[in-house]
């Protein structure tokens, strides 16, 4: 992960031109850097990168951007590891809200970020020893997957979301 971090930093530095523009490739590199920090347990660096990227996303794409949902997922994951349950709950629910707003209720129910945040919300409940709540979240997640057929022809890809 250390070498990956170095490569991502080098790539990002070479792309920076003084402008605050944020295209999909640049955003993906920023998320990869955040993931590298996360894997190395450099949570403070990850949080700083999330905050900086969040501002870029809001400046370039608005507060309701799909990219903001992904950043909230990373933030929620860090906050959960720090036992900041209120903060992680807010970040995960914001991820789900943004997904629903960007791609709709039906599509968001199958989106990987929605599924991951549902699982993380259950994990948060388990960490708080709220077993019934965790079980309820897991049951709803499984029911949702059983009820919905994944149609790959109609699935939503990140590149299609603006």
């Amino acid at each position: 992960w250390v070498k990956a971090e170095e490569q991502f930093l080098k790539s990002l530095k070479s792309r920076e031109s003084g402008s605050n523009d944020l295209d999909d490739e640049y955003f993906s590199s920023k998320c990869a850097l955040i993931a590298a920090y996360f894997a190395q347990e450099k949570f403070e660096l990850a949080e700083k990168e999330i905050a900086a990227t969040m501002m870029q996303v809001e400046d370039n794409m608005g507060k309701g951007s799909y990219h903001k949902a992904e950043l909230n997922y990373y933030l929620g994951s860090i906050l959960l590891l720090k036992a900041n349950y209120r903060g992680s709950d807010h970040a995960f629910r914001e991820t789900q809200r943004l997904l629903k707003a960007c791609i709709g209720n039906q599509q968001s129910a199958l989106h990987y970020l929605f599924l991951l945040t549902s699982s993380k919300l259950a994990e948060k409940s388990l960490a708080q020893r709220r077993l019934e709540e965790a079980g309820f979240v897991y049951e709803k997640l499984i029911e949702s997957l059983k009820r919905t057929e994944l149609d790959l022809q109609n699935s939503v890809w990140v590149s299609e979301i603006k």
Side-chain angles (χ1 to χ4, degrees):
W1 282 106
V2 173
K3 286 190 182 245
E5 175 189 346
E6 290 171 4
Q7 287 298 104
F8 293 132
L9 285 169
K10 186 178 177 182
S11 171
L12 288 168
K13 191 169 251 182
S14 70
R15 291 184 50 107
E16 291 176 353
S17 62
S19 75
N20 202 28
D21 290 346
L22 184 70
D23 60 34
D24 286 338
E25 187 178 323
Y26 185 69
F27 177 79
S28 294
S29 295
K30 296 277 248 176
C31 285
L33 177 61
I34 292 165
Y37 286 151
F38 187 88
Q40 296 174 81
E41 298 181 7
K42 295 180 177 180
F43 301 125
E44 287 75 25
L45 285 174
E47 282 185 272
K48 286 180 184 176
E49 195 64 44
I50 290 168
T53 307
M54 191 82 76
M55 287 184 357
Q56 279 184 297
V57 166
E58 287 181 4
D59 289 347
N60 286 274
M61 301 172 188
K63 292 185 185 236
S65 166
Y66 167 83
H67 291 315
K68 194 170 173 189
E70 192 166 355
L71 292 168
N72 271 298
Y73 170 75
Y74 284 122
L75 179 61
S77 296
I78 292 169
L79 296 174
L80 181 58
L81 285 173
K82 290 180 161 187
N84 180 342
Y85 301 125
R86 182 172 290 175
S88 66
D89 187 84
H90 175 75
F92 291 138
R93 292 188 190 281
E94 182 65 5
T95 297
Q96 291 183 338
R97 186 193 70 74
L98 287 166
L99 286 171
K100 287 177 182 177
C102 291
I103 61 177
N105 285 339
Q106 189 172 15
Q107 290 286 0
S108 67
L110 283 179
H111 194 279
Y112 76 98
L113 277 178
F114 195 91
L115 299 174
L116 286 172
T117 53
S118 294
S119 178
K120 290 288 190 178
L121 286 166
E123 183 181 329
K124 174 196 66 82
S125 296
L126 284 174
Q128 295 175 297
R129 302 186 196 284
R130 295 176 8 202
L131 302 180
E132 285 185 34
E133 182 179 305
F136 177 76
V137 173
Y138 279 131
E139 284 177 22
K140 288 293 184 189
L141 179 59
I142 297 300
E143 285 174 20
S144 175
L145 289 172
K146 285 180 180 177
R147 277 195 317 264
T148 312
E149 291 181 17
L150 178 58
D151 178 359
L152 292 177
Q153 297 297 329
N154 296 321
S155 64
V156 176
W157 298 95
V158 173
S159 62
E160 297 173 4
I161 304 169
K162 295 294 175 193

